[in-house]
Amino acid sequence: MSRESVVAKRYAKALFELANERQSVVETEQQLRSVVEAVRNNHQLELLLTTPNINSSEKVDVLKAAFAGNASEIVLNTLQMLVERGRILLLGDLLDYYVRIAGQALGVANAEVRSAVALSEEEQQQIAAVFGKKESKTIRVHNVVDPTLIGGIQVRIGDRLYDGSLSGQLARVQQQLNAIAR
């Protein structure tokens, strides 16, 4: 794990502890996610935050003006600390670690479900129910359309991959045939 990852994880843990004390874990995640998306989608804001020639107090003022009313005091204070310490580039990693820490504490896991076509809300709920039992957690499904799968689905929860796709099955058959041919 890189030094930056360790630092991002520490910030995420501290933010989670504050949010947990205030019973606002889910709200804090949503606010942090909104901030990260806003920074990623606004090139000028991203440029402003990452330009070393602009002093940190100006950057903090812009952030507070941009997110006042949409982000809690603890999220704004975290952003201020990242800016003042020259670690604003850790914002995306901080979100990722926060989601993991909060998920573990709340018994929630995120599942990336790849499918050849978009899944309906009902199909996503069924997948969440099936994998929720396997993982003993509440599953949040994020559907990614991947036409190369041909059919079926791939479900990634943390480090685990459940591959029920047609392309995955064909790849396994090919491996078996190659092993026999040797």
Side-chain angles (χ1 to χ4, degrees), residues 18 61 67 71 74 91 93 105 126 135 144 150 161 172 176 181:
L18 286 171
D61 290 344
F67 298 111
I74 60 174
L91 189 57
D93 290 338
Q126 290 172 348
E135 298 286 325
V144 176
I150 305 170
L161 175 65
R172 288 188 290 277
Q176 290 172 348

Side-chain angles (χ1 to χ4, degrees), residues 117-131:
V117 296
L119 299 173
S120 69
E121 190 63 36
E122 182 181 327
E123 290 169 323
Q124 290 182 36
Q125 289 173 357
Q126 290 172 348
I127 291 168
V130 168
F131 286 93

